[in-house]
Amino acid sequence: MNQLTPKERMKIPRHSMIEQDPAERSRNFSEVNLGYTPELAIEEAQRCLQCPKPTCVAGCPVNIQIKDFITLIAEGDFIGAVKKIKEDNALPAICGRVCPQEEQCEEACVVGKRGEPVAIGYLERFVADYERESGKIDVPEVKVSNGKKVAIVGSGPAGLSCAKDLREKGYEVTVFEALHELGGVLVYGIPEFRLPKEIVRTEIDGLKRMGVKFETDAIIGRVFTVDELMEEEGYDAVFLGVGAGLPWFLGIEGENLNGVYSANEFLTRVNLMKAYQFPEYDSPILDCHNKNVAVFGGGNTAMDAVRTSLRLGAKNAYIVYRRSEKEMPARVEEIKHAKEEGVQFMLLTNPVRLIGDDEGWLKGMELIKMELGEPDESGRRRPIPIEGSNFTVDIDVAVIAIGNGPNPLVTQTTPEIETSRRGTIVVDPETMKTSKKGVFAGGDIVTGGATVILAMGAGRKAAAAIDHYLQNGAW
């Protein structure tokens, strides 16, 4: 790293990710981004200025030692680099694919002040893939058992991060998952072309090799309540990382028509029930082949749903979003990929009603044009309907992707846990403690729908607080 001057490093252009051709990938479920070669990874790592006080670390919710792992990549020590990442992040191959790096570590990168930032996420993904493909997967060292048991509810990013940190400290950890497959939103919510399930399974296998136990098909709140876990099953603490799985709807006429899905249902049927492998898997989903599909929303989930519909054979795939592209919450990369693949964006447009035929099947949507006013409480400019601008479009399938709320299963059966007006669990933001002694919570069940890396950060924070509580007994 010392052979290049800062000026020379700044002259190296950022290396783009190798991708599948848009025309080809829009009709298959294989991963879109194909990763770096070792040579590209080393050259990209050489762009890092090795700042004495790396601001990128502060931009990462789990505080990965970015400068150190990039140094190791530049030296060609890829296994050393992934070990350095795993000191703070149990799921590097996942984060390297789905984290919004452009809003976190890369936004804080000093190189980005005068050009394009170092591709930190691409480098993280590269070394995680290199480790997996080399067969030299490192398993973190686990301390001798301290005799205490912790139950973790939910196997999404918050639960997995919490499990890893507690297991390393010598706790007996069991993760309870309501579905038949582990990974939570990572497997049911994110399509194969953005996050292959095999990547998730490999990273979970690492936790199993550490000694973390997993129980699937176990709905906490039904098979056990939180009280039963603590009083009858002998768990000393419980972490609730159950995510936000209750879809929101538009509240307009026609949402009960055949052919209307929530994004949760649509993506779960495709991702987890393998509808994309029809007829090998006969999952019940409406055939999108040669149909017109509209997805309402502007976030990553909306992009996932509309791009999925293309891969299921949609003739026209629309994004209907009430603000402009500038206000869209989806990652820039996901919007770019959607456009390249042929998704049609209907911006500054809002649905008024869904139109059905006499037999209750969706056949169209009535929309209204919008204009932007002053910023609202979200900080984005408020969309305002333009009177008299209504028009209709023929569609066969509609997917509503405007967000999710918390599933109340756990809190209904544990009423001592305080919830907010929105139904999210109220916690101490420093310790993730809930209002019930011995119970902690983090991730989307606390924040509402957010990012994988923020959920992981909450899981790690809770693990530290659980350790402190169980070692000291003070609440």
Side-chain angles (χ1 to χ4, degrees):
M1 288 290 282
N2 295 326
Q3 67 272 27
L4 294 177
T5 65
K7 190 173 180 181
E8 289 170 328
R9 295 178 202 279
M10 290 294 293
K11 286 184 178 178
I12 303 173
R14 175 173 165 130
H15 292 285
S16 301
M17 178 72 79
I18 302 170
E19 299 175 349
Q20 270 200 81
D21 177 74
E24 183 178 338
R25 76 189 189 222
S26 65
R27 299 297 173 179
N28 70 56
F29 277 85
S30 300
E31 193 169 12
V32 169
N33 288 334
L34 302 178
Y36 276 162
T37 63
E39 293 76 19
L40 284 179
I42 289 173
E43 284 185 20
E44 183 63 31
Q46 289 174 336
R47 298 181 65 230
C48 176
L49 295 176
Q50 295 295 297
C51 305
K53 294 181 179 178
T55 51
C56 52
V57 176
C60 172
V62 296
N63 300 123
I64 292 172
Q65 296 307 301
I66 295 168
K67 170 183 167 182
D68 295 343
F69 95 75
I70 289 181
T71 299
L72 290 165
I73 293 175
E75 294 170 349
D77 183 0
F78 305 140
I79 295 295
V82 74
K83 284 184 177 178
K84 176 57 66 178
I85 295 173
K86 284 188 171 180
E87 290 176 8
D88 302 293
N89 179 1
L91 312 171
I94 294 171
C95 287
R97 284 170 166 79
V98 302
C99 270
Q101 294 101 3
E102 66 278 6
E103 298 174 3
Q104 296 173 335
C105 54
E106 292 183 14
E107 185 177 48
C109 174
V110 171
V111 177
K113 306 298 180 191
R114 296 178 58 186
E116 290 193 273
V118 176
I120 298 168
Y122 291 175
L123 292 173
E124 181 182 25
R125 169 194 162 127
F126 167 76
V127 292
D129 288 353
Y130 182 90
E131 180 193 44
R132 185 181 66 260
E133 290 163 4
S134 71
K136 300 174 183 174
I137 296 179
D138 179 54
V139 176
E141 192 173 329
V142 175
K143 289 183 180 177
V144 176
S145 173
N146 57 29
K148 295 187 182 296
K149 293 172 57 178
V150 180
I152 292 179
V153 185
S155 67
L160 295 177
S161 296
C162 188
K164 183 251 185 186
D165 281 10
L166 288 171
R167 183 65 192 136
E168 279 184 317
K169 295 176 188 298
Y171 291 92
E172 298 297 321
V173 178
T174 302
V175 178
F176 294 91
E177 168 56 49
L179 298 175
H180 64 279
E181 186 155 340
L182 300 170
V185 69
L186 300 172
V187 293
Y188 76 72
I190 304 179
E192 279 279 324
F193 58 80
R194 201 154 68 87
L195 178 61
K197 305 292 171 289
E198 193 56 37
I199 302 291
V200 181
R201 292 189 193 105
T202 300
E203 303 222 323
I204 290 175
D205 282 345
L207 297 180
K208 289 179 178 175
R209 290 167 64 193
M210 290 173 66
V212 175
K213 298 173 185 171
F214 290 90
E215 299 280 348
T216 54
D217 300 314
I219 303 174
I220 300 305
R222 291 294 181 267
V223 295
F224 298 114
T225 64
V226 170
D227 285 334
E228 288 169 343
L229 285 174
M230 300 179 79
E231 295 167 9
E232 299 175 16
E233 299 300 313
Y235 289 97
D236 299 288
V238 175
F239 172 73
L240 301 175
V242 295
L246 204 62
W248 290 338
F249 289 89
L250 293 160
I252 61 174
E253 177 186 337
E255 281 188 292
N256 60 344
L257 291 167
N258 293 317
V260 181
Y261 293 91
S262 70
N264 261 26
E265 181 183 359
F266 184 76
L267 290 172
T268 298
R269 287 181 185 276
V270 177
N271 296 334
L272 202 57
M273 300 169 72
K274 297 183 172 52
Y276 64 93
Q277 292 184 27
F278 180 85
E280 184 179 349
Y281 287 83
D282 193 12
S283 299
I285 190 169
L286 196 64
D287 183 10
C288 292
H289 185 71
N290 213 27
K291 303 283 176 59
N292 296 323
V293 179
V295 176
F296 304 116
N300 290 323
T301 301
M303 297 303 138
D304 286 343
V306 77
R307 294 170 68 198
T308 292
S309 75
L310 277 178
R311 285 157 174 80
L312 293 173
K315 179 172 65 179
N316 290 296
Y318 305 109
I319 280 286
V320 180
Y321 182 59
R322 60 183 183 161
R323 292 183 167 96
S324 72
E325 183 175 330
K326 184 181 176 184
E327 286 81 26
M328 284 185 124
R331 294 185 68 190
V332 171
E333 182 179 61
E334 304 308 329
I335 296 171
K336 170 179 169 287
H337 283 166
K339 287 182 175 177
E340 289 172 348
E341 292 169 8
V343 171
Q344 300 169 56
F345 283 65
M346 303 176 78
L347 303 174
L348 289 167
T349 305
N350 208 34
V352 175
R353 66 184 174 110
L354 299 176
I355 304 164
D357 62 19
D358 293 340
E359 296 182 346
W361 288 91
L362 178 69
K363 66 174 187 178
M365 58 183 173
E366 181 179 343
L367 305 166
I368 188 168
K369 288 288 185 184
M370 310 290 282
E371 60 186 355
L372 295 179
E374 295 299 312
D376 60 17
E377 61 277 3
S378 74
R380 295 174 295 172
R381 294 180 65 189
R382 184 187 300 275
I384 301 169
I386 301 174
E387 193 173 343
S389 64
N390 298 43
F391 63 105
T392 61
V393 176
D394 292 343
I395 56 170
D396 307 285
V397 177
V399 181
I400 299 163
I402 58 170
N404 297 299
N407 190 313
L409 268 178
V410 172
T411 51
Q412 279 177 349
T413 53
T414 317
E416 311 97 285
I417 294 177
E418 182 184 355
T419 56
S420 71
R421 196 173 46 148
R422 297 185 301 145
T424 54
I425 293 178
V426 176
V427 299
D428 179 323
E430 298 303 317
T431 63
M432 314 311 285
K433 288 179 181 175
T434 70
S435 54
K436 180 176 176 62
K437 185 177 180 181
V439 180
F440 300 74
D444 289 357
I445 188 63
V446 170
T447 59
T451 64
V452 168
I453 195 72
L454 284 173
M456 290 178 63
R460 298 202 71 204
K461 191 184 285 188
I466 291 170
D467 179 48
H468 185 266
Y469 164 64
L470 293 181
Q471 294 305 316
N472 299 284
W475 184 255

